[in-house]
Amino acid sequence: MSDIPSGLRDKLRENFSIFSTKITQHLYSRDGTEKFLFELNDGNFIEAVSIPAEKRVTGCISTQVGCKFACRFCASGLLGFKRNLTSGEMIEEILYLKNKSKNKRLSHLVFMGIGEPLDNYDNVLKAIRIINSPEGLNIGTRRITISTCGIIPGIKRLSAEGLQIELSISLHAADDRT
């Protein structure tokens, strides 16, 4: 805000913050993928990832601190469930990915980081509406994916929303019959 006096800017900086999360680690991979470890205001940690491809940059964000479901194929539940993220914390992840990653842009989003998105349904949907809004991040719903371990009530509820978001269901078993 360069249009206000510098003394006021200093006071605002000292007494207020826009972001409640802090980047504690930023890792780079040879393929261009960037992984961010965030410390939340309450001392918990989450991760988000920026994944570049030829014509797109996908942001992968977390929706919870930990996970209740402890799927064997996923590391999210190893330490148990701590809490849901707010929609604001999810938006912060996205803004950090957009502003701090090498590409400085996001074209697609996946709710596939730490946690089960459909177990934090209301906050995830609120974040999606902000992400999709022209006044928000203006990312089209067809470029947003929710990944779930198969929470049937959440899938049914999502189908009634009338949004054209993508749904990815992670189903894993030792054999095809199971």
Side-chain angles (χ1 to χ4, degrees):
M1 296 186 298
S2 59
D3 58 341
I4 61 173
S6 63
L8 177 56
R9 280 184 275 171
D10 292 340
K11 280 197 178 286
L12 290 171
R13 190 177 304 110
E14 291 169 11
N15 294 294
F16 300 97
S17 66
I18 294 174
F19 291 100
S20 64
T21 57
K22 297 177 198 141
I23 297 174
T24 60
Q25 191 172 40
H26 185 176
L27 302 173
Y28 301 88
S29 176
R30 280 180 274 169
D31 67 1
T33 300
E34 295 178 67
K35 182 176 174 182
F36 295 83
L37 179 66
F38 298 108
E39 182 176 2
L40 302 172
N41 204 20
D42 61 6
N44 284 304
F45 293 89
I46 56 168
E47 296 176 340
V49 181
S50 174
I51 308 161
E54 189 175 324
K55 295 182 179 181
R56 65 179 3 167
V57 178
T58 301
C60 176
I61 66 165
S62 296
T63 58
Q64 296 178 313
V65 178
C67 184
K68 298 173 189 172
F69 300 94
C71 301
R72 290 185 180 167
F73 58 86
C74 179
S76 290
L78 292 176
L79 298 175
F81 174 76
K82 305 253 193 255
R83 70 173 180 86
N84 287 324
L85 295 184
T86 66
S87 58
E89 288 169 325
M90 288 179 239
I91 298 298
E92 282 189 35
E93 289 180 79
I94 296 163
L95 291 173
Y96 272 121
L97 289 178
K98 185 174 181 183
N99 296 322
K100 300 290 186 186
S101 66
K102 182 179 175 184
N103 293 306
K104 301 270 189 239
R105 70 179 193 94
L106 287 176
S107 59
H108 293 72
L109 283 170
V110 292
F111 290 80
M112 193 184 284
I114 297 171
E116 167 52 56
L118 295 182
D119 190 44
N120 188 9
Y121 189 91
D122 292 331
N123 287 322
V124 168
L125 261 286
K126 185 176 180 181
I128 287 172
R129 293 188 193 289
I130 293 168
I131 293 161
N132 178 239
S133 171
E135 291 81 24
L137 295 170
N138 200 27
I139 295 176
T141 52
R142 291 182 183 173
R143 294 178 176 209
I144 299 171
T145 301
I146 291 178
S147 179
T148 179
C149 65
I151 309 300
I152 302 301
I155 293 170
K156 287 180 178 177
R157 190 174 170 196
L158 186 62
S159 71
E161 292 287 344
L163 296 171
Q164 294 181 325
I165 59 176
E166 300 290 323
L167 181 66
S168 174
I169 302 173
S170 298
L171 303 175
H172 295 264
D175 57 59
D176 288 340
R177 182 167 160 41
T178 304

